Structures are given as C-alpha cells and as structure tokens.
Amino acid sequence: MSERIATVTRNTRETQITVTLNLDGEGRLACETGVPFLDHMLDQVARHGLIDLDIEAIGDLHIDDHHTVEDLGITLGQAFHQAIGDKRGIHRYGHAYVPLDEALSRVVVDFSGRPGLYMDVAFTRASIGRLDTQLFWEFFQGFVNHARMTLHIDNLKGFNAHHQAETIFKAFGRALRMAVEPDPRMAGQMPSTKGSL
C-alpha cells in the first residue's frame, strides 16, 4: 500500500482547522484545540488507533466549544476519507469493547461509503470539565458524514462520565485501527461485492 497520509484545512468564520493524519503511524498526537478534554480524547484515538495526528485548531471559544468540536469532527473525517483512498485491501469493518473501571463501551465501524451514526450513550453528567457532553454526538456526526462511514457507539455500563467518554474514544481508536489495517487475504481487492465503496 502507498502512504496513507492526508492533510485537510477547513476555514470558516467560526473556526480555522488543519488536520494531518497518518493511518500507519505510531499513535502520536500533536494537538491543542483549546478544549482540554477534547485533546485528551483525541490522544486516546491516536494512541489506540496507532494513527499519527497533527491538529491545529482555532475556534470561537469565546462563544462556546460547539463550532470547534463539530468542525474538528468534520475535518478529521475528511482527512480519513482522503487518506484511506479507494479502500482496496483493507478490512473495512472494525469493532472494539473497552472497559475502564466501572465503564464499558462498544464501538463498531464500517467504511461503507454511507454515513450513519447510531449512538446510545446516557452520560451521567452534562459536562466533563467545561466540555458539554452533547458535543460528542456533534463530533461523531461530523466525522461519519465526511469519512462516509457507519459508526455504532454503545456505552454499556458506567456512572463516571469521564470513564464513559474515555471508553468510547479508546474503543473508537481501536475499531478504526482494525478497519483500516491491510488485510493480507484481501490484498488489492475491494472488500465489497459491489466492486466499490
């Protein structure tokens, strides 16, 4: 496989974001979004997905975190779509269960070409640090729309909201890693009976 690296920039009146990712990285993150808990979650995705992420983000945080979180999901999804290419030779599907103390989450992904987010998470707090937990849905919705993938997220157990979120993002990273890794038995082939994804 050729290098699977992409750089995408999104500039709006609300945010200026540049994402560079390497799908075959070492799990390194260089990032400061201005939303500390989001940075912590992105570190989980990079580390557990073995994806190198360089993110520069400036957003209208004086209003709130909404635009920054949503637009980062959009930009990251665009970078994934670009880096993954035509999807020949990848596993396509990925899944992971991740526990953290009392919390347990399951994430399942399909790089199907069809955007779809199904998220069943009842956060036990309205915010973690200053980050509104509703914004996790916005992040993942932006991601799936632009990565053109199906994503199922289920928090199966947990009463600590930090643990709930962390299990979700760790499982997301691990599921992504499984899905985008080359499948030696699928080498050069499209993982679909349709012939394209």
Side-chain angles (χ1 to χ4, degrees), residues 18 23 77 80 83 88 119 121 132 141 153 155 159 163 186:
T18 298
L23 293 180
F80 253 86
R88 288 183 186 278
M119 188 169 173
V121 181
D132 183 343
Q141 185 67 67
I153 300 171
N155 175 239
F159 56 78
H163 292 173
M186 189 64 75

Side-chain angles (χ1 to χ4, degrees), residues 32-177:
E32 191 169 324
T33 65
V35 186
F37 192 76
L38 180 61
D39 294 349
H40 180 45
M41 294 300 97
L42 292 169
D43 197 18
Q44 307 309 316
V45 175
R47 181 59 52 107
H48 292 279
L50 289 180
I51 301 161
D52 290 343
L53 285 174
D54 291 283
I55 298 170
E56 298 174 13
I58 300 171
D60 54 0
L61 300 178
H62 60 286
I63 296 175
D64 73 3
D65 297 338
H66 188 114
H67 299 139
T68 299
V69 175
E70 180 181 26
D71 286 6
L72 186 53
I74 290 170
T75 311
L76 190 58
Q78 290 171 335
F80 253 86
H81 180 69
Q82 185 176 314
I84 206 169
D86 68 2
K87 305 172 192 163
R88 288 183 186 278
I90 66 167
H91 283 277
R92 173 181 167 179
Y93 301 99
H95 63 273
Y97 284 82
V98 170
L100 175 56
D101 297 344
E102 88 300 341
L104 174 65
S105 291
R106 175 184 59 215
V107 173
V108 183
V109 304
D110 174 13
F111 279 92
S112 61
R114 297 181 303 279
L117 173 62
Y118 306 90
M119 188 169 173
D120 186 6
V121 181
F123 282 107
T124 57
R125 285 171 39 202
S127 62
I128 305 170
R130 71 173 210 207
L131 181 59
D132 183 343
T133 53
Q134 290 182 331
L135 295 182
F136 292 124
W137 190 91
E138 299 292 343
F139 172 86
F140 287 117
Q141 185 67 67
F143 186 93
V144 301
N145 284 345
H146 294 272
R148 303 178 195 178
M149 64 179 290
T150 303
L151 172 61
H152 287 253
I153 300 171
D154 294 283
N155 175 239
L156 304 174
K157 298 177 182 178
F159 56 78
N160 181 302
H162 186 130
H163 292 173
Q164 289 176 291
E166 193 160 332
T167 58
I168 288 165
F169 278 84
K170 285 178 176 176
F172 181 54
R174 290 201 165 260
L176 290 174
R177 175 180 166 187

Side-chain angles (χ1 to χ4, degrees), residues 1 86-90 183-192 195:
M1 278 190 169
D86 68 2
K87 305 172 192 163
R88 288 183 186 278
I90 66 167
D183 181 347
R185 296 186 63 200
M186 189 64 75
Q189 298 181 57
M190 184 63 65
S192 171

